Structure formats: structure tokens, C-alpha cells
Amino acid sequence: MSLEPSLFPRCDATVAWTALRGHFEAHGRELDLREAFARDAGRFDAFALEAPEVFADLSKNRWDLMTRQLLVELARECQLEARRDAMLAGEPINTTEGRAVLHTALRAPRGQGLFSHEVHEVLDRLLAFAEGVRDTAASGITDVVNIGIGGSDLGPQMVVPALDAFVHPGLRFHFVSNVDGHDIAPVLRRLEAKRTLFIIASKTFTTQETMANAAVAREWFLAQGGTDIARHFVGATTNLKAAAAFGIHTTFGFWDWVGGRYSLWSAIGLPIAIAIGAEGFRALLEGAHAMDRHFATAPLLANLPVQLGLLDVWYRNFHGFTSRSVAPYHQGLKRLPAYLQQLEMESNGKGVDLGGQPLPYGTSPVVWGEPGTNGQHAYFQMLHQGTDVIPVEFIAVRRPTHAHADLHAKALANCLAQSQALMLGKTTEAALAEKAPTASDRLGKLTVARHRTFPGNRPSTTLVLEQLTPSALGALIALYEHRVFTSGALWGLNSFDQWGVELGKALAGDLLPRLASGDASGLDGSTAGLLRRLAAGS
Ligand code: F6P
């Protein structure tokens, strides 16, 4: 298949786009979820979707069957399936870097995916090493420190606590990412060199933050009397030469067709493999692979990642919603919003299409959130009564991995209640009819009732997992990856580069020596003023 960008129609150049505009004006803008449910007793079933390990209720979203149909037509006109197949076949769809995008090959069973031999050779070695560390009586290791940033940090940092119930009880995991020394300092303070394993995780092995923290860790290790760097430092990287120059002899490689934010399935997953063991890591890969098969084969209307990606386009480009809040009702998923920020916003936060043409429509929404019920006691106020409509994505897990059934029931009841409250709202009449014991009696009843009114009709999606196991989590993450692919493909983006991080990096390189010298010459007024305040001798 040719990757000539002009062969892929952009969403705004399609017949379906125009039809969606008309449909939005006629039936989308004013769609009221309460009325939609009252009209159609089958709405829940019509908008329910099953994918491997994940059930989705899409019925509380501000769309109807016609919207979905038109969105699927939009996907067809944009040749979503051909683009997906090009990715899965290893075509260089990351056109600006001339690279294939093959994180799916990392979770294909032995002998089935592209580069299977190389992938499984590293995987076997990685898992054998992980099992060696987990044999704590023999390894002597109690603490594992992952030093990496972005995609070399957020995946393992999200997955390890999510799967806490499956983690080796004799091992502690630490994640150091920030170049700010306040990240590594408190970690080192609690470690003993001879019981610590450092994983230096960097695809390029050149990233400033990671290299600086790795150097600090090595210095600390030697100062603590550590002698065997080769035993206590391992590398996960595509740059084996630079790792060797650092003094690392145990390295697990991967390939340029694994993007940083898609890399937790590769050697970057080493902390996960040590935490949950070979069997657990293989289950994580299997769950992701099951979702890959679903994405590759399910018809577009029944394809969960595709449906979520299409809904994202509908909300961003027709309803004009600019953000999406993620609310996992599972404390283990506390870092999921941060992980999704990189996955979605680094992938689809772009302003030009594949041919470099500026886009006349919005792309990545802002993705943010906190686990429920914590978010309820912080920003949910705004979700319920604020002036912006923010679609919320609830994640509910039916069976906990702890024994406190009463707590779990409360978490689930809150999860259900929030999506219900967002949709149903409360009229001023209903508020008037209620008692409000804590309301001031200096105000008129109607004024108080207006403050206690909820507009409702606020959309949400609920994803349901049976239990947060390695395979369920693998499927959930792959679901998000393919959803981002879908919206990115429709928007006509290259979802797999990240040029937007370059400029700041280069400027920091210029400013670093100026902080020492205080030289502000040639800088803009604000940066010069701030530099003078922050410079070493000031
Ligand atoms: O933030 C830019 C980025 O390139 C991410 O895409 C990547 O995950 C991160 O830096 C870390 O890069 P590396 O693994 O090469 O250290």
C-alpha cells in the first residue's frame, strides 16, 4: 500500500463529515439523554459493546444510532481499516520518521507476529532475568528502581500499582523520572546499595533527565560502597552501545518500531515483569493481543476501540467538547490518567495533517482525572454544575482483589451514582421541593433552589472489567491505544511522532550554562528577567 498522504481522505473532505454536520444541527446539539432513554427502552442494549475483558456502556453519550452510522461511514471514507491494516502489516505509517508502528507485534504469540523471533528471544531472556530477581533469597534484591521518563516510565509506573495484588510481596518498586532532584533524593535515602537493582530505561539512552538521574544513582551506589555496577544496573534500550559505555552489561533491547508511549510491552516492561512474574507478564501480553484481534477483525459498529475513537471525534469536532475526564473507580488505576495523557496528547496533540497542512479542526482533547471517589470530593462539582460539558469515562471493576467487600460495594455504588447524577441532573422544581438543612435561611427558597439545580444531560461512558487482572489490564491499555489510533487516523494525523517536545529541550540546552553565568544577553524580556532571578549567583 502506498503511504502517499493524499490517498487518505481527511475527515473534513468526506461526504459523511457534511452529513454529520447536518445531523448534529438537527438531532445532535439538542439531544437530551433523559428523553432518549424515555423514548427507547432498548437504548442501553443498543449502545452496549463487548470486547475482550471489557464491557462498555456507551448509552449515556450524546449520540444516536444515526450518529453512529454516519461516524462509521466517516471511518470508511477515511479508509480507517486500510490504515489499521497498514499499521498491523508493518508499513512505515510513522511517515515523518520513516518508521513502522508495531507495538502489536510485541504481544503476538510466538511464531505469529512480525519479528516474532527477535521479540520472543528478548522476551524469554527478560522474563528469565525477572524470575531471577524475584528469587529474592538468591538475588538479595529488595528494591527495584526504574529510572526513565515519558514512555519509559509511565507504563510501568501505572501498571505496577494497578496489579498490586499480583506483585511479589518481598519487593518494593520505585519510579524516578523527573530531572528535579527532589524525585530521586527521597528514593535513594531509603535504599541500601547491595539490595537495590537499578533499571535504566531509555529507548534512546540520551534523554537528559534519565541520563542525569542514572549518573546520580551510579555515584550514590559507589559512595555507598557498592562494587558491582554490572550486577546492580541493567538497561532497557535500543541504544546498546551507549548503555555499555555507561557500564551496563545486562541489556534488554527493543526496536525503533516501538514508540516510547507504546513500549510497556517491550523491554521497558522489565519492572512489570519483575513485579508480577513471567506468568503475569505473559497474561498482560495475552490480554492486549486479544484486544488487537478484536480491533483487527470486529466490524466497525461492534469494534470498541473504533467506537470510542469515533465518539472522541464526534465530541471534539461537533459538540466542541475540549476535554475528557477519566474516573477509574479502582485505586490501583491512580496513574491511568497520567499514562493516558501521554498516550493521547503526545499522539494526537498535533496541528498539521500527514501532508503538513494546517488543520482547520480540533484534535486531541485534554485528558485528565483522578480515581473515584477522590475526584468526587475535588472537581466533580464542576462536572455537575460548571459551565462546560466534560464527558466522563468511568471505569468500574466488578470483583475486587481485596477482601473488603463492603468498601468495594460503596465504590461501585458511587461510580454508578455519578454517571446517573450527571445524566439525570436535578430540576429547580425538584430542588425547591426538597429540604436543604444546611442552606442559609437568609436567602429566598428559589435562590437556594437555583444553586442546588443540576442541569443534567452530561455525558459519560462506563467501562466495566470483571477484575483488574494482568490480562484485563493488558486489554484495557490496548483498547486505549487503538482508540487513539482511530481518532488520529480520522483527523489525518501522524499519531506516532512527537516533534512538539523538541523545542523546549533545545532551549533548555541553551539556558543551562546561562543559569550558571547569569548571561541573559539576546533573550526575550521575560525569560531574561526570570533568568536573572534564578541564576546561581543572584
Ligand atoms: O517526551 C518525549 C519522549 O521522546 C517520549 O516520547 C518518550 O517516551 C520519552 O521522551 C523518553 O524517551 P527515551 O525512552 O528515549 O528516554
Side-chain angles (χ1 to χ4, degrees):
M1 152 181 267
S2 165
L3 287 160
E4 179 51 47
S6 59
L7 288 183
F8 292 129
R10 225 173 59 184
C11 55
D12 59 336
T14 60
V15 175
W17 188 263
T18 311
L20 279 160
R21 280 250 159 275
H23 183 67
F24 175 72
E25 293 307 334
H27 303 286
R29 190 191 294 282
E30 302 298 335
L31 187 142
D32 188 293
L33 289 166
R34 296 155 291 200
E35 287 168 16
F37 275 100
R39 264 199 314 272
D40 179 7
R43 185 174 170 90
F44 176 79
D45 292 330
F47 288 91
L49 266 185
E50 287 280 359
E53 305 270 8
V54 187
F55 168 85
D57 169 24
L58 302 169
S59 65
K60 288 199 194 88
N61 283 297
R62 279 161 62 168
W63 61 354
D64 58 16
L65 293 174
M66 178 54 91
T67 317
R68 263 198 347 180
Q69 191 53 45
L70 290 172
L71 285 167
V72 165
E73 282 169 28
L74 177 68
R76 293 219 173 93
E77 277 192 81
C78 292
Q79 298 183 26
L80 175 68
E81 285 152 301
R83 289 181 190 209
R84 171 198 67 197
D85 295 346
M87 172 175 74
L88 299 175
E91 300 274 347
I93 64 160
N94 175 355
T95 48
T96 58
E97 297 180 304
R99 291 178 181 170
V101 174
L102 274 175
H103 43 280
T104 49
L106 298 168
R107 52 237 190 174
R110 198 182 300 275
Q112 287 186 26
L114 291 168
F115 302 105
S116 187
H117 180 72
E118 293 89 322
V119 165
H120 282 272
E121 188 271 322
V122 175
L123 180 61
D124 290 344
R125 226 162 37 79
L126 182 98
L127 296 182
F129 179 82
E131 287 299 331
V133 178
R134 286 167 61 81
D135 182 356
T136 48
S139 72
I141 297 296
T142 55
D143 291 85
V144 177
V145 184
N146 191 74
I147 298 181
I149 196 164
S152 299
D153 165 64
L154 287 164
Q157 198 201 122
M158 182 269 285
V159 170
V160 170
L163 297 177
D164 182 67
F166 302 85
V167 170
H168 190 300
L171 289 167
R172 286 181 294 265
F173 292 83
H174 314 270
F175 295 90
V176 171
S177 53
N178 200 333
V179 77
D180 176 11
H182 297 99
D183 198 2
I184 197 167
V187 172
L188 293 180
R189 220 178 286 138
R190 290 167 174 79
L191 298 179
E192 227 187 306
K194 66 173 192 287
R195 302 201 175 283
T196 302
L197 175 72
F198 290 98
I199 300 170
I200 312 303
S202 175
K203 180 173 168 181
T204 54
F205 224 82
T206 57
T207 303
Q208 186 201 48
E209 292 90 336
T210 304
M211 292 304 101
N213 277 317
V216 167
R218 184 176 53 186
E219 207 176 288
W220 170 88
F221 180 77
L222 295 173
Q224 296 294 307
T227 48
D228 198 350
I229 290 199
R231 212 170 79 80
H232 288 267
F233 285 74
V234 299
T237 184
T238 57
N239 189 349
L240 304 185
K241 220 165 129 193
F246 180 90
I248 289 181
H249 299 300
T250 305
T251 40
F252 301 95
F254 55 111
W255 306 273
D256 72 357
W257 40 262
V258 182
R261 52 195 174 274
Y262 299 87
S263 66
L264 72 85
W265 324 97
S266 71
I268 294 296
L270 179 57
I272 304 171
I274 297 173
I276 63 174
E279 204 184 315
F281 196 77
R282 287 196 191 278
L284 183 84
L285 297 179
E286 277 160 22
H289 178 67
M291 190 59 77
D292 294 343
R293 297 309 308 146
H294 171 81
F295 179 54
T297 59
L300 298 184
L301 260 176
N303 195 310
L304 185 53
V306 169
Q307 288 297 309
L308 288 173
L310 293 178
L311 183 58
D312 290 339
V313 171
W314 175 243
Y315 277 164
R316 185 75 181 91
N317 304 120
F318 296 89
H319 280 282
F321 303 152
T322 53
S323 93
R324 191 175 91 246
S325 188
V326 181
Y329 276 67
H330 190 302
Q331 184 61 19
L333 293 172
K334 62 183 178 214
R335 293 300 282 160
L336 183 68
Y339 174 80
L340 293 179
Q341 281 174 339
Q342 188 197 17
L343 179 64
E344 300 206 28
M345 294 160 77
E346 199 171 76
S347 295
N348 286 347
K350 315 277 166 71
V352 297
D353 67 14
L354 284 168
Q357 295 305 313
L359 295 174
Y361 47 79
T363 57
S364 176
V366 175
V367 180
W368 58 284
E370 277 289 320
T373 56
N374 295 0
Q376 290 174 212
H377 295 270
Y379 53 78
F380 267 57
Q381 162 67 42
M382 183 222 186
L383 299 180
H384 286 289
Q385 290 189 309
T387 48
D388 289 306
V389 174
I390 298 173
V392 183
E393 200 154 278
F394 293 95
I395 302 175
V397 179
R398 201 172 79 83
R399 281 195 298 134
T401 43
H402 59 70
H404 313 290
D406 49 340
L407 290 178
H408 191 64
K410 289 187 170 78
L412 286 183
N414 272 283
C415 181
L416 280 177
Q418 289 300 323
S419 69
Q420 194 185 24
L422 284 165
M423 176 175 77
L424 296 182
K426 188 196 284 180
T427 61
T428 308
E429 292 69 38
L432 260 177
E434 280 177 356
K435 289 203 170 62
T438 58
S440 166
D441 50 15
R442 294 200 194 154
L443 289 180
K445 279 195 160 39
L446 183 60
T447 306
V448 172
R450 283 188 181 134
H451 284 274
R452 302 181 70 249
T453 298
F454 291 65
N457 200 28
R458 304 229 153 165
S460 67
T461 294
T462 301
L463 303 177
V464 181
L465 310 182
E466 176 62 20
Q467 197 175 33
L468 195 58
T469 58
S471 72
L473 184 58
L476 182 71
I477 302 167
L479 168 66
Y480 278 106
E481 289 176 347
H482 298 320
R483 166 209 206 138
V484 169
F485 176 89
T486 298
S487 52
L490 263 67
W491 284 324
L493 308 175
N494 179 358
S495 300
F496 301 100
D497 59 12
Q498 56 283 318
W499 300 104
V501 301
E502 297 295 327
L503 179 58
K505 272 194 213 172
L507 293 180
D510 170 55
L511 290 168
L512 183 60
R514 288 173 180 265
L515 270 172
S517 66
D519 172 18
S521 58
L523 296 176
D524 65 88
S526 167
T527 310
L530 290 168
L531 185 111
R532 284 192 205 99
R533 282 215 152 233
L534 291 167
S538 64

